[in-house]
Amino acid sequence: MSALGALLSQQPSSGRTMGLRSQLALAAVCAGYAVGAAVGWGSPGLALFMGDFGLSAAALIAAVSCFLYARAAGSRFRPAWLLFSLSSAMAAGGNAVWGWYEVVLGRPVPTPSLADLFFLCFAPPAIVGLLVLAKRPVTRAGWVCLVLDAWLIGGSLLTLSWSLALAHTAHVANAEGESVARAALSLAYPLLDIVLVSMVLALHFRRINLNRSAVNTAIAGLALTVVCDALFTAPLLRSVYHSGQLLDAGWFAGSLILAYAPWGVRRDQDNAVEVPTPEPRAVSRPIAGSLAALTPYLAAAVCTLGILYNVVEGRRVDRVVVLTGCAVVLALVLRQAIMLLDNIALTQELAQKENHFRSLVQGSSDVIMIAEPSGVLRYVSPAAAGVYRRDAEDLVGAELSSIIHPDDLGGVVHELRRFLAAPSREEPTTRIECRFGSGTGDWLHVESTVNRHQGGLLLNSRDVTERVRLQAQLQHNAEHDPLTDLPNRALFTARVGQALGGRRAGDPGTAVLFIDLDGFKAVNDSIGHQAGDELLVQAARRLQESVRTSDTAARLGGDEFAALIVGDGTRDQAARECQVHEIADRLRLRLSQPYRIGTGEVRVAASIGVAFAEPSITPKDLMRNADLAMYRAKAGGKDRVELYAPQMQADVVRRSELATRLRTALRDGEFALLHQPVVHLASGTVAAVSAQARWRSAQGILFTPAEFLRVSEDSDRAAELGTWLLEEAVEQAADRFLAGHPVSVSVRVSAARLLDRAFPPGSVEALLTRHGLPSGALMIEVADSDPRISFDELEQRLVALRRLGVRIALDGFGSGYAAVNALRRLPIDVLKLDRCLVEGVVESARLHKITSGLLRIAGDLGMQSVADGVDVPEQVRALRAMGCTHGQGMAFAGPLDEYRLRHTLIRGKYPVPGAGGAAQPVLAGGAIPLQSRSHDETPVPPT
């Protein structure tokens, strides 16, 4: 048992102990008063004081107690306790007035007096309070029966009391010539007591269920008070009564019991609320019901005894007795008639409900079964024929265990034993799910709600086979790719976790392969997504066929697949790596074979990254390692297998740290803008300047564009860096125009950035207008190196910029695979030769011819040309001879800050090697807006 359970089990015993102590204390006080009254209190004065003011104090205690409880109760029964408080207050006032006459004034109490008024006001509040506490009838017949029961009891008591005492009292008062007030007062006390007794008896069996102990105790206190009042009104006893006698002990005890009722009994009941007492309730309810049913007959018997008493004594039957007896008999007849009609209506209603529930059970689609404690089925509803394909009669008498699947029987028995051992109040029902045998030989998934029924079980069962199948299908869909039916990322991650944490935990031979189909996007773009889906299905089938049954092949999304190769316990790690590498290479060749799509064939390649398990590695880290190796395979030329190495993670961390520092640098203004002059090769004049960004970090490290631009392209700050570069270049160019240096500026912008919706052509026009720079003084240099860029959208965007007057240059010509296509479709003004064509133009005759041919094409198309990376005079001479119009590089100047750039512009030109030669450029003169490749580093000359 838990500590909390032990504590709860101890609380009721402590509550009962406290209740017993308070009851013993109450009994001791009442017994002490009774003993004192029996011996006369030792003196007549003390007897009068205790008989008057003692009773007043007890009644006052009861009034205060009931009043305080009524304020704290806060329920609909508060008025009842307030009325009990008022009734006790009246009793306290009457006894106080009685004591005033007898103790203070020392003379007899006059009749009538103020005390009589208080005593007469005692009964009405108590009667109304009992009515409030009664259980209210729900029908008119119930209200009529309540009134008739009260009259039966009251009339019977009136008949008996009139025969015994009241008639004699009335005759004596009439014979002695007493006043009407004294006669009425003599009869008022017993009549009110009769009414109060009638209400106590009539309502005793109709009391509320809430806090019954308190109500019963209050009724007992009032009943004891009424009994003492009845004895007091008896002529023989009243003639010799004086204050301080034993009869006062009854009134005293009744007041204290009423005072104790709400508090002592309430605390005892609250503390004992957790103690289940089903047995006494089960016995007391039939007894209470029997007594309630016998109430009218007992009342009639009392009335008969009253009449028989007069006959036996030889007295003439009084008219009051006759009239009262007739009224009691009439009330009994009426009550019996009402009860008969009510019983007939209840019988009809019961039969109707029985038919209704029989129809519900027989027409229900659920199967209702009743099993005996031995497990034998004694009732099965007709729905079994439709659900189980078995007749209900065939199942009756069979063992419940005989129709349950053997694999489920143990769990069902365990659950039923647990359920039957649990308290019914805490767990009234339970739910079990198992397989039942059907008449066709199949096993049906059945869900049953189980209730207790006369020591056995009541089962309400329904067929949930379709639901179970649907749940299994939903579970399968949640864990598998809908296109290829391979496990998805979630299930694959779970399988990797099982491989790393199961009996193969720590096996270094476990490996994860990440696979990416190279060229898949081109398939989607060229022949459609439906063909791409068919290719993925075939690739998944090949992957599934290439791994063992113990391994797992999965599709992670798009054209990315994965495979889990479970280790075989090999100790030789090198041999295992070689084996897995061979598996991955065979898989690469298998996935690279042609795919039959429709009537044609499609080829794609596969880049595969392999990562092996390490001690204490997590599934997430292992899959990350394989992913890094796969991207390294793609970066290394695609269509290859790459094993994971720790250096790959270090590179990722370095790039991530650099990207984080790049974000901070953009915010803190650590970037600076430099310009490299673009020189006209015929005259040596500065035709334009190329804007380049430099980053000098707070640690003093100077990052070249080749380092930080590669990071920024993969970060969220690429757009911010490009925007800063363009705005800064335009602003400084506008300042140079105002200073008398009208030199154009070129800014390199990637094709992806040009197609970004956040970079509309209108933003360029607004930028030029804001800084006052002519549109012809700006040239956008397009870096065309991404094969995913749509030429149609790029052409539309460049045409829009040309309409604004912005010049367009094609950067890196000679290195991009789509260079010729770009030259054919895009509105190009300037052709910029890639550095790789310029570096070997002097030494390589083959490269010399290629460069010469490209320059000839540019000249034929009417374009100007710029050679990037012109570092030595020999390159200048060769390029001039080929017809190249402009060049930039260390042969003239490196990137310059603004101060040195303006000094260069003032000088106006650079000496051109071989300018006096015979070779003439194809196009001479004219300043053009140009730009060098900002991602290639050109050393900055010392200041």
Side-chain angles (χ1 to χ4, degrees):
M1 182 183 294
S2 64
L4 179 60
L7 179 63
L8 291 177
S9 64
Q10 294 173 2
Q11 285 180 351
S13 61
S14 62
R16 287 193 296 269
T17 302
M18 293 178 61
L20 182 60
R21 290 176 180 176
S22 59
Q23 293 170 7
L24 290 177
L26 176 64
V29 172
C30 294
Y33 189 95
V35 171
V39 299
W41 295 104
S43 67
L46 181 60
L48 288 176
F49 182 86
M50 294 301 296
D52 294 334
F53 291 110
L55 293 183
S56 178
L60 183 61
I61 292 173
V64 173
S65 175
C66 293
F67 178 77
L68 294 177
Y69 178 74
R71 292 187 59 186
S75 66
R76 73 178 185 89
F77 306 112
R78 175 186 294 178
W81 295 102
L82 288 176
L83 290 169
F84 290 157
S85 175
L86 177 61
S87 178
S88 298
M90 294 296 104
N95 284 292
V97 172
W98 199 285
W100 174 262
Y101 281 103
E102 288 188 337
V103 177
V104 178
L105 299 180
R107 59 187 179 89
V109 181
T111 303
S113 67
L114 184 61
D116 294 319
L117 177 62
F118 279 113
F119 286 140
L120 289 176
C121 292
F122 166 80
I127 294 172
V128 178
L130 290 172
L131 287 174
V132 174
L133 287 178
K135 184 186 296 183
R136 299 176 181 177
V138 295
T139 62
R140 293 181 180 178
W143 283 104
V144 174
C145 288
L146 177 61
V147 174
L148 292 176
D149 288 344
W151 167 246
L152 286 172
I153 297 172
S156 301
L157 293 177
L158 177 61
T159 302
L160 183 61
S161 59
W162 188 271
S163 301
L164 294 176
L166 295 183
H168 176 71
T169 301
H171 289 306
V172 170
N174 187 28
E176 294 180 356
E178 294 183 355
S179 64
V180 177
R182 291 178 60 87
L185 185 62
S186 300
L187 296 177
Y189 281 113
L191 291 178
L192 286 176
D193 289 338
I194 290 173
V195 174
L196 186 56
V197 170
S198 301
M199 294 307 302
V200 169
L201 293 177
L203 300 177
H204 175 68
F205 303 108
R206 295 178 179 269
R207 63 191 182 279
I208 58 172
N209 294 325
L210 182 64
N211 206 2
R212 273 195 169 193
S213 298
V215 175
N216 288 340
T217 306
I219 291 177
L222 292 175
L224 182 58
T225 303
V226 170
V227 170
C228 293
D229 287 345
L231 294 176
F232 174 75
T233 57
L236 295 177
L237 182 61
R238 186 171 183 178
S239 61
V240 296
Y241 171 80
H242 60 82
S243 297
Q245 289 186 343
L246 188 60
L247 184 61
D248 294 344
W251 282 315
F252 183 84
S255 297
L256 289 188
I257 290 174
L258 183 60
Y260 169 79
W263 300 104
V265 178
R266 180 192 180 202
R267 180 172 61 252
D268 185 27
Q269 184 188 31
D270 291 342
N271 290 330
V273 70
E274 297 294 334
V275 180
T277 56
E279 300 301 331
R281 290 186 180 182
V283 174
S284 63
R285 286 178 181 175
I287 293 177
S290 300
L291 291 177
L294 291 176
T295 299
Y297 303 102
L298 293 175
V302 170
C303 182
T304 305
L305 288 176
I307 297 175
L308 289 177
Y309 176 81
N310 284 279
V311 174
V312 171
E313 292 292 327
R315 299 177 184 177
R316 184 175 60 86
V317 180
D318 194 276
R319 286 178 297 177
V320 175
V321 174
V322 173
L323 293 176
T324 306
C326 292
V328 168
V329 172
L330 180 60
L332 179 63
V333 172
L334 288 176
R335 190 183 189 282
Q336 289 300 106
I338 292 174
M339 292 299 297
L340 179 61
L341 294 176
D342 194 31
N343 288 337
I344 294 174
L346 288 176
T347 303
Q348 293 176 350
E349 183 179 359
L350 181 61
Q352 183 180 2
K353 288 184 177 180
E354 183 179 357
N355 294 331
H356 175 69
F357 284 110
R358 182 182 293 109
S359 300
L360 288 178
V361 171
Q362 295 180 352
S364 173
S365 59
D366 295 347
V367 180
I368 300 175
M369 299 184 295
I370 299 177
E372 296 179 349
S374 60
V376 177
L377 296 174
R378 66 179 182 182
Y379 175 79
V380 179
S381 65
V387 176
Y388 301 151
R389 302 295 189 270
R390 301 173 66 175
D391 292 336
E393 293 78 5
D394 297 339
L395 291 174
V396 174
E399 290 279 350
L400 180 61
S401 59
S402 64
I403 62 175
I404 299 177
H405 195 282
D407 295 341
D408 301 338
L409 185 58
V412 172
V413 172
H414 175 76
E415 174 62 21
L416 291 180
R417 285 178 178 174
R418 185 203 61 78
F419 170 65
L420 293 176
S424 59
R425 184 178 303 176
E426 297 178 2
E427 190 173 5
T429 64
T430 188
R431 189 181 300 272
I432 60 174
E433 188 169 334
C434 59
R435 286 169 288 180
F436 277 9
S438 67
T440 60
D442 300 328
W443 291 100
L444 303 175
H445 291 270
V446 176
E447 182 185 66
S448 302
T449 302
V450 184
N451 295 269
R452 299 174 181 86
H453 179 71
Q454 298 180 359
L457 297 172
L458 174 64
L459 297 93
N460 190 350
S461 306
R462 63 190 62 85
D463 182 10
V464 293
T465 304
E466 290 300 324
R467 190 195 71 186
V468 172
R469 290 175 182 172
L470 179 59
Q471 288 177 345
Q473 184 63 40
L474 291 176
Q475 183 69 21
H476 179 85
N477 294 342
E479 296 178 343
H480 290 77
D481 175 56
L483 178 62
T484 62
D485 203 38
L486 290 179
N488 58 13
R489 183 181 293 272
L491 181 57
F492 183 76
T493 304
R495 296 277 179 86
V496 174
Q498 294 172 4
L500 296 179
R503 59 185 178 87
R504 297 188 179 91
D507 187 354
T510 299
V512 171
L513 280 61
F514 264 46
I515 306 158
D516 186 83
L517 300 181
D518 303 322
F520 175 73
K521 185 179 184 304
V523 174
N524 269 343
D525 294 340
S526 57
I527 59 177
H529 289 275
Q530 186 174 359
D533 291 345
E534 178 61 27
L535 188 150
L536 292 175
V537 171
Q538 295 184 29
R541 189 180 303 117
R542 294 182 185 182
L543 177 60
Q544 186 72 41
E545 294 171 352
S546 301
V547 299
R548 302 169 300 181
T549 55
S550 59
D551 299 331
T552 301
R555 183 191 177 205
L556 305 183
D559 59 341
E560 291 188 357
F561 294 85
L564 170 65
I565 309 299
V566 180
D568 55 2
T570 303
R571 295 292 182 180
D572 190 351
Q573 182 64 16
R576 179 59 177 169
E577 289 183 2
C578 182
Q579 180 184 3
V580 173
H581 193 281
E582 291 178 357
I583 294 174
D585 200 54
R586 288 198 303 268
L587 181 59
R588 178 187 63 82
L589 295 175
R590 182 84 171 91
L591 293 175
S592 300
Q593 293 177 0
Y595 294 85
R596 189 72 180 178
I597 307 296
T599 59
E601 289 186 349
V602 176
R603 287 182 178 271
V604 294
S607 296
I608 302 178
V610 182
F612 286 91
E614 300 173 358
S616 303
I617 194 171
T618 63
K620 181 180 179 181
D621 291 340
L622 182 58
M623 294 173 63
R624 179 206 62 198
N625 294 344
D627 196 19
L628 291 175
M630 184 266 290
Y631 277 105
R632 178 61 63 90
K634 293 178 71 68
K638 303 181 179 180
D639 193 18
R640 59 198 303 263
V641 177
E642 190 77 31
L643 295 180
Y644 170 77
Q647 182 59 34
M648 298 178 184
Q649 178 62 21
D651 292 342
V652 172
V653 172
R654 178 180 176 277
R655 291 170 61 85
S656 177
E657 292 177 351
L658 189 59
T660 302
R661 291 162 60 188
L662 179 62
R663 298 187 191 100
T664 306
L666 286 170
R667 185 181 65 248
D668 297 343
E670 296 180 3
F671 277 90
L673 189 65
L674 302 180
H675 294 85
Q676 187 173 26
V678 179
V679 180
H680 191 267
L681 296 183
S683 61
T685 58
V686 179
V689 291
S690 175
Q692 300 179 12
R694 290 293 185 274
W695 174 22
R696 185 178 298 277
S697 68
Q699 293 79 16
I701 302 175
L702 180 65
F703 292 99
T704 65
E707 291 177 304
F708 69 77
L709 284 183
R710 190 160 50 246
V711 174
S712 67
E713 289 172 359
D714 297 333
S715 68
D716 297 334
R717 299 296 178 180
E720 186 175 349
L721 179 59
T723 301
W724 175 87
L725 180 62
L726 181 60
E727 290 184 352
E728 194 73 14
V730 170
E731 181 178 1
Q732 293 189 16
D735 291 341
R736 286 192 294 273
F737 263 72
L738 293 177
H741 305 293
V743 181
S744 301
V745 64
S746 62
V747 181
R748 184 178 184 270
V749 181
S750 65
R753 176 62 177 156
L754 285 172
L755 296 181
D756 192 352
R757 294 183 178 179
F759 187 72
S763 62
V764 177
E765 182 180 11
L767 180 64
L768 295 173
T769 303
R770 184 168 67 250
H771 293 288
L773 183 68
S775 59
L778 173 66
M779 184 164 67
I780 299 296
E781 188 175 309
V782 182
D784 177 40
S785 60
D786 191 348
R788 297 172 296 180
I789 295 300
S790 171
F791 267 84
D792 294 335
E793 296 181 14
L794 183 59
E795 181 181 8
Q796 295 175 5
R797 184 58 57 91
L798 294 179
V799 169
L801 290 173
R802 283 287 302 277
R803 291 196 185 102
L804 298 177
V806 178
R807 306 294 297 277
I808 307 297
L810 183 61
D811 181 35
F813 189 78
S815 61
Y817 80 96
V820 176
N821 191 29
L823 198 62
R824 179 176 61 87
R825 298 185 56 182
L826 301 181
I828 304 300
D829 299 304
V830 176
L831 190 66
K832 185 174 182 180
L833 297 180
D834 191 72
R835 176 182 288 270
C836 64
L837 297 177
V838 178
E839 288 177 347
V841 72
V842 178
E843 295 83 0
S844 173
R846 183 182 181 87
L847 195 58
H848 187 281
K849 292 180 180 180
I850 293 175
T851 305
S852 177
L854 294 177
L855 290 172
R856 190 176 302 112
I857 292 174
D860 293 341
L861 294 177
M863 299 179 183
Q864 293 178 320
S865 55
V866 177
D868 186 17
V870 182
D871 297 332
V872 295
E874 291 79 5
Q875 293 173 345
V876 178
R877 298 188 186 96
L879 291 170
R880 287 184 67 253
M882 295 179 195
C884 183
T885 60
H886 298 80
Q888 67 180 84
M890 293 304 298
F892 305 106
L896 307 175
D897 57 25
E898 187 66 20
Y899 176 78
R900 291 161 56 202
L901 176 62
R902 295 206 178 189
H903 275 279
T904 300
L905 295 178
I906 292 172
R907 189 172 62 244
K909 61 186 333 183
Y910 287 96
V912 179
Q920 296 295 328
V922 176
L923 296 175
I928 57 173
L930 302 171
Q931 177 198 21
S932 69
R933 294 187 65 193
S934 58
H935 60 278
D936 291 328
E937 171 64 9
T938 302
V940 179
T943 304

